[in-house]
Amino acid sequence: MTNQTTSATHAASAADRIDPGRRARATRRQWIALAVLMLPVLLVSVDNTVLSFALPAIALDLGPTAAQQLWIIDAYPLVLAALLVAMGSAGDRFGRRRMLLIGSIGFALVSVAAAYAPTAEALILARAALGFFGAMLMPSTLSLLRSVFADREQRRLAIAIWASGFAAGSALGPIVGGVLLEHFAWGSVFLLAVPVLVPLVVLVPSLIPESRDPAPGPIDVPSILLSFAAMGGAVYGIKHLAIDGLDAVGVLALAGGLALGALFVRRQLRSSAPMLDVRLFRQGSFGGGVLVNLLSVIALVGFLFFVSQHLQLIVGLSPVQAGLALTPGLVAMIAAGLAVVPISRRVHPRVLVPSAIALSAAGYLVIAMTAGHGVAGVVIAFVMLGVGIGVAETVSNELILSSAPSAKAGAASAVSETAYELGAVLGTAVLGSILAAWYRTAIELPVGLSASQADAARETLAGAMALAESLPAATGAELAASAADAFASGITVTALIGSLLMVAAGIVAATTLNEPRGAASQ
């Protein structure tokens, strides 16, 4: 009986390799399920960037320091990145749909608390809690696609829509934030989660079947703790070094995180049932795809961080106008992610992805050359950046998911999501901190400011512009002009670094990306 079953299985696999279309194709119900799964994707990615536009209003209301401003943005993706692998593994064990529902309910409740945070410290804590529940959402959405779409061609399109949704959410953040901030207080950007997640909680149980690893290993508490501590320590160290410069605290945190990461990898290699099969990274399609995602998101989030301030505080656009200025780039990002699906069947990823990323690198060069010169350069640069990232993320995510066994889809998806969230942290922590450091060094203060006024002007661009409005006309105009020039020069330097990041992503793609082994039968 066993031999007959094995022979039948081999025959079915051979038939699938000959005719992948034999696999069950999705019906309208599955595509509706995809639409429902897009809700948390959009929400979590919107939350990555919506605060970039809300930050000026938060800065005026809560008065955070420059470090607190970065933590308000980064607490969320930092906790997300630290927990994604553990939550992805939990989804494989306890059920991906269950984790999605728990995360949705928790995310909605904490969003209400964040909306009414009375202090910068309270907002940072709420953002960290949002990261905890968000870590349950993201791996579940991507891994459920593996079980919902068995046919690889349909799954490739579904992942393209998923990746476009994530990219669209990152770009929609400023637009949604702009519309809300035009009419409501900054807390409204958090309340958006409630009407988005209620339909998901209602519809998911009837549309999406539960899926999990049929043979999970034992719960590995040490691996969970190691993954959390490794990610948390490494990211904190990078943030600390970027903000405060080279010191013992930053070096020890980074070194400790890397050491714990090495212990985590060693434990997974020795385990008969690893929480994360790190051997997947030996495949270029998996490891290369993850690294391409990481570098692309650093570039995208870093761009939105400084452009949102440039458009509002220097150009003088309202939040809505600033958000609309980024709409062409958003449309280009979504269109590129979908258009690349049929192209990816014919063009090898080692050619397709580097070509797209080269356009993104050129977009950063455009912003470097036009910093401080109005809106047109920003629009053109974001369109170029968006096209490249839209293509790269669609192709790389499909390769990542196709490289992993279906039983470990949650853990594999978590690795992809970790790259996204770590990229969001580094985009603001590294590029944002480089810009802030350059701004503090380059600004020239007018004579006659008190020590507290000088500190406020050097701390942030928002602080300088707010102070300029309260000073006598001539002094205020001098301060505003100096702050704008200092910020623009910082954008030039930061954009050049962003361009180099995209070049690095292109090199990685050209040297590592391959079709995963056995892809034809997946």
Side-chain angles (χ1 to χ4, degrees):
M1 181 68 176
T2 302
N3 290 338
Q4 290 176 344
T5 302
T6 303
S7 299
T9 300
H10 288 169
S13 298
D16 279 346
R17 283 192 294 270
I18 295 171
D19 181 14
R22 285 172 56 93
R23 288 180 174 269
R25 293 182 64 81
T27 64
R28 183 172 63 178
R29 183 182 181 86
Q30 278 75 52
W31 292 108
I32 294 173
L34 173 62
V36 173
L37 287 175
M38 293 304 299
L39 294 175
V41 173
L42 287 168
L43 182 63
V44 172
S45 56
V46 162
D47 265 31
N48 272 337
T49 55
V50 69
L51 281 194
S52 295
F53 266 48
L55 197 57
I58 293 173
L60 295 175
D61 186 21
L62 302 182
T65 64
Q68 286 177 326
Q69 284 190 44
L70 288 173
W71 274 111
I72 286 170
I73 293 176
D74 289 343
Y76 169 74
L78 171 59
V79 174
L80 258 174
L83 286 174
L84 278 168
V85 172
M87 292 299 187
S89 179
D92 287 340
R93 167 179 291 276
F94 300 112
R96 295 148 192 160
R97 187 181 69 177
R98 178 180 297 173
M99 294 297 289
L100 179 63
L101 291 172
I102 294 172
S104 299
I105 295 170
F107 199 96
L109 293 175
V110 176
S111 293
V112 176
Y116 297 102
T119 64
E121 292 82 359
L123 183 56
I124 292 170
L125 287 175
R127 290 277 289 170
L130 286 172
F132 175 83
F133 289 107
M136 299 181 187
L137 296 175
M138 296 307 292
S140 300
T141 60
L142 185 56
S143 58
L144 283 169
L145 293 183
R146 180 72 179 260
S147 60
V148 172
F149 295 92
D151 179 80
R152 191 187 180 200
E153 290 302 318
Q154 288 188 317
R155 187 169 70 240
R156 182 182 278 130
L157 178 58
I159 291 173
I161 295 171
W162 182 94
S164 297
F166 194 97
S170 298
L172 270 173
I175 299 173
V176 172
V179 173
L180 291 174
L181 293 170
E182 191 83 358
H183 301 95
F184 306 102
W186 57 263
S188 60
V189 301
F190 295 106
L191 294 176
L192 178 68
V194 177
V196 170
L197 290 177
V198 166
L200 181 141
V201 173
V202 172
L203 294 174
V204 159
S206 62
L207 286 174
I208 299 173
E210 183 62 279
S211 71
R212 56 170 59 89
D213 186 344
I219 296 176
D220 190 352
V221 175
S223 288
I224 293 173
L225 295 177
L226 281 172
S227 68
F228 178 83
M231 287 298 304
V235 175
Y236 177 79
I238 292 170
K239 281 179 56 61
H240 186 87
L241 292 171
I243 296 170
D244 299 317
L246 187 65
D247 63 11
V249 173
V251 171
L252 287 175
L254 179 57
L258 294 175
L260 291 172
L263 289 176
F264 173 81
V265 171
R266 182 181 180 185
R267 184 176 181 85
Q268 304 314 297
L269 289 172
R270 293 185 171 185
S271 173
S272 59
M275 187 175 86
L276 173 66
D277 187 0
V278 295
R279 295 178 182 86
L280 286 171
F281 284 94
R282 296 174 181 172
Q283 296 188 42
S285 55
F286 188 89
V290 170
L291 191 52
V292 167
N293 274 353
L294 172 66
L295 294 172
S296 297
V297 175
I298 290 174
L300 174 63
V301 174
F303 180 91
L304 292 172
F305 177 79
F306 62 73
V307 163
S308 61
Q309 297 181 70
H310 168 77
L311 292 175
Q312 290 183 80
L313 297 174
I314 295 179
V315 179
L317 300 183
S318 68
V320 171
Q321 291 171 330
L324 290 175
L326 297 177
T327 301
L330 163 64
V331 173
M333 194 178 302
I334 296 172
L338 296 176
V340 76
V341 173
I343 299 172
S344 64
R345 299 171 192 157
R346 300 174 179 85
V347 181
H348 197 281
R350 284 192 178 187
V351 176
L352 183 58
V353 176
S355 300
I357 288 177
L359 185 63
S360 293
Y364 253 118
L365 291 178
V366 169
I367 201 67
M369 293 184 292
T370 61
H373 298 289
V375 179
V378 171
V379 173
I380 294 170
F382 190 45
V383 168
M384 297 171 70
L385 184 71
V387 169
I389 290 178
V391 169
E393 289 183 351
T394 293
V395 176
S396 60
N397 272 301
E398 199 279 329
L399 291 175
I400 290 168
L401 199 58
S402 295
S403 299
S406 59
K408 299 297 182 183
S413 301
V415 173
S416 177
E417 291 304 319
T418 300
Y420 272 101
E421 301 307 330
L422 182 58
V425 170
L426 297 178
T428 51
V430 176
L431 295 183
S433 296
I434 290 171
L435 176 58
W438 187 277
Y439 166 80
R440 286 194 294 269
T441 302
I443 188 172
E444 297 181 2
L445 302 179
V447 178
L449 297 183
S450 66
S452 61
Q453 289 176 326
D455 289 341
R458 288 194 185 97
E459 189 76 7
T460 63
L461 176 63
M465 293 304 186
L467 176 62
E469 293 181 358
S470 66
L471 295 173
T475 305
E478 182 181 352
L479 175 59
S482 176
D485 289 342
F487 195 80
S489 64
I491 287 178
T492 299
V493 173
T494 307
L496 290 174
I497 295 173
S499 182
L500 291 176
L501 286 175
M502 297 313 298
V503 170
I507 293 172
V508 169
T511 55
T512 64
L513 295 187
N514 288 307
E515 283 291 324
R517 290 187 293 272
S521 61
Q522 291 178 343

